[in-house]
Amino acid sequence: MTINDRKTITSGKLSPQALTRSVLSFTGAKRPEVLIGPGIGEDAAVIKWQAGKYMVFSSDPIVGADKGAGRLLVRVNSNDIASKGGEPAYLTVTLILPPSFGEEGAAAIMNEINEECRAQGIAIAGGHTEFNDRYDRPVIMGSLVGTADKVMRADSISAGDRLIVTKHLCIEGMSILAHDRPDLLTQFMNETEIQTVKSWEDLTSVLPESRVLRRFAKFMHDPTEGGFDGGLAEISLLCGLKAHIDANALPINELTMRAAQHLRFDPRHLIASGSLIAVVPQAETDSALSALAKENIPCAAVGYITDIKNDALPDCSEALWRLLKMGKDND
C-alpha cells in the first residue's frame, strides 16, 4: 500500500468501529495469562504474573519509518529483552500517525506488528492510537515486558570470562546501506550480492541465540549504534574491566569486508543489530559454542575479559551516518 492508497482522516482518535477493525483486531500471540487485553474502554492490561519469574522491561520508539516499521518496532524491543536473557511476552503499542495515513495506514502498521509478535510468541496487551496533524511521519512507541529465570548483572563479569559473538558483524548497517544507498554498493557488488545483503534484515532478531545462550551467559548485549566496538565499550564500562579481542576471530562477512575496503569504514564501528555479544565463563565456552552450532547459529569466541581496570573508553563512533551522506554533501 502506498500513501496514495490511503484516505486522509481528521486528527484525533479512530471511531470505536474503525479502532476495532484496524487496530484492536491485531493481538499478536495468544497468551492465557493475559486476563484483560486490548478493548474499547479498557484503560490497562491485566496479566496474571508467573511465580518464580523476573520481569524484564524495555521501551523503544521507531520515528519516521513507514514500510517495515511495525516489524522493526517489535524487534528492537525484543532484542533488548533477549539480551537480558528474557522471553518477550507482552507488548503495548502507541501509534501517533499523520492524518494522511488514514485507517488503512494504521492497519498496515498493526498488521506488521501482529505478524512479528505471532512469530515471537508475544501478546499485544494494549496501547494507544491517534492521528495528529502536527506530524507528517509516523511515531511508533513500543513497551515490552518479558520474563526471565535469572538476573544478568554486569558486576558478575570477571577476568577470564570469554566473549562469544553470534552470526556476523554489521548485519543491520549493511542491510540499511543495501536498501537506502545501493548506489554505493554497485561499484563493487553485483545485483545478486546486493540482494543477499538486503536479506540480512531478516537476521536482525537475536532471540534465537538468546534462548540458547541464556543458560550459559553471565551477561549479554545487543550491539547497536557504534557497532561491535560500541557494544564492547558499554560492557567494559559496566563491569569496569577491559577486554582483549582477537581481531582475526571476529566474524565479518566477505561482502562486508569488501564494502569496508571500498567505502573506507571500520566494520567494528557499523551498527550491528542482529549479532549478540555474550560473556560466558571459560569453563562453559565450549558447551555454549556447541549448543549454538546444534541450532545452526553461526558463532565465534573472539576474546576474553582481562584483569585490567577500564579507565578509558575507545572510539565508539558510528560509521553509518557518514556512509548514508556520501555523495550527497561535499564529502
Side-chain angles (χ1 to χ4, degrees), residues 8-331:
T8 300
I9 62 175
T10 58
S11 296
K13 294 184 178 181
L14 285 168
S15 68
Q17 295 84 357
L19 189 65
T20 299
R21 179 173 59 241
S22 297
V23 177
L24 299 182
S25 60
F26 300 105
T27 57
K30 300 296 182 183
R31 300 186 68 104
E33 64 271 24
V34 179
L35 304 181
I36 298 176
I40 300 296
E42 294 290 1
D43 294 326
V46 178
I47 298 168
K48 183 179 181 181
W49 196 245
Q50 305 171 45
K53 297 283 187 179
Y54 295 96
M55 181 195 302
V56 188
F57 185 88
S58 174
S59 184
D60 261 320
I62 300 297
V63 179
D66 183 355
K67 184 179 180 182
R71 181 172 69 166
L72 185 59
L73 179 80
V74 178
R75 288 197 173 183
V76 297
N77 281 282
S78 174
N79 281 357
D80 287 343
I81 299 295
S83 297
K84 279 299 181 187
E87 191 67 28
Y90 321 107
L91 177 72
T92 61
V93 180
T94 296
L95 301 180
I96 303 178
L97 306 175
S100 61
F101 263 58
E103 181 185 337
E104 298 88 351
I109 292 173
M110 285 305 304
N111 184 56
E112 289 180 359
I113 293 172
N114 179 66
E115 289 180 352
E116 187 64 26
C117 282
R118 285 180 176 272
Q120 296 199 28
I122 300 168
I124 300 172
H128 173 80
T129 302
E130 71 173 78
F131 292 84
N132 193 312
D133 59 13
R134 294 186 179 184
Y135 297 87
D136 57 10
R137 302 294 295 165
V139 176
I140 313 171
M141 171 67 74
S143 294
L144 183 59
V145 173
T147 63
D149 294 322
K150 66 178 184 181
V151 179
M152 290 189 174
R153 301 182 189 276
D155 58 15
S156 68
I157 297 172
S158 56
D161 290 340
R162 269 30 186 185
L163 291 158
I164 291 175
V165 173
T166 65
K167 291 183 269 203
H168 56 92
L169 304 189
C170 307
I171 288 172
E172 184 180 13
M174 286 295 294
S175 174
I176 290 172
L177 283 178
H179 280 92
D180 294 358
R181 292 299 309 273
D183 57 299
L184 297 178
L185 305 183
T186 54
Q187 306 169 47
F188 48 85
M189 289 186 195
N190 59 41
E191 184 58 31
T192 299
E193 290 171 329
I194 292 174
Q195 290 302 320
T196 295
V197 177
K198 285 183 177 181
S199 74
W200 291 355
E201 68 177 348
D202 295 330
L203 302 177
T204 51
S205 173
V206 299
L207 185 57
E209 51 259 57
S210 168
R211 286 170 170 161
V212 174
L213 286 168
R214 63 178 66 153
R215 66 182 184 271
F216 303 106
K218 288 185 176 181
F219 192 81
M220 298 190 292
H221 190 39
D222 168 33
T224 52
E225 188 167 344
F228 172 80
D229 274 5
L232 188 66
E234 290 168 344
I235 294 174
S236 184
L237 178 65
L238 284 168
C239 73
L241 297 172
K242 290 187 175 181
H244 172 81
I245 300 299
D246 178 359
N248 294 323
L250 289 172
I252 304 175
N253 188 277
E254 188 275 332
L255 295 176
T256 300
M257 287 300 299
R258 198 189 307 170
Q261 291 164 4
H262 283 269
L263 300 177
R264 299 195 302 273
F265 69 87
D266 186 343
R268 293 174 61 160
H269 285 218
L270 187 65
I271 188 168
S273 294
S275 182
L276 186 66
I277 304 174
V279 183
V280 177
Q282 182 178 359
E284 299 279 5
T285 304
D286 288 343
S287 296
L289 293 171
S290 295
L292 287 166
K294 186 177 180 180
E295 297 298 323
N296 296 314
I297 299 172
C299 57
V302 300
Y304 58 88
I305 301 296
T306 72
D307 59 2
I308 302 172
K309 296 295 184 181
N310 176 42
D311 53 9
L313 290 178
D315 177 17
C316 301
S317 57
E318 172 55 54
L320 180 64
W321 315 130
R322 176 184 67 83
L323 295 172
L324 290 176
K325 293 190 297 181
M326 282 182 66
K328 293 186 175 182
D329 297 330
N330 294 318
D331 292 358

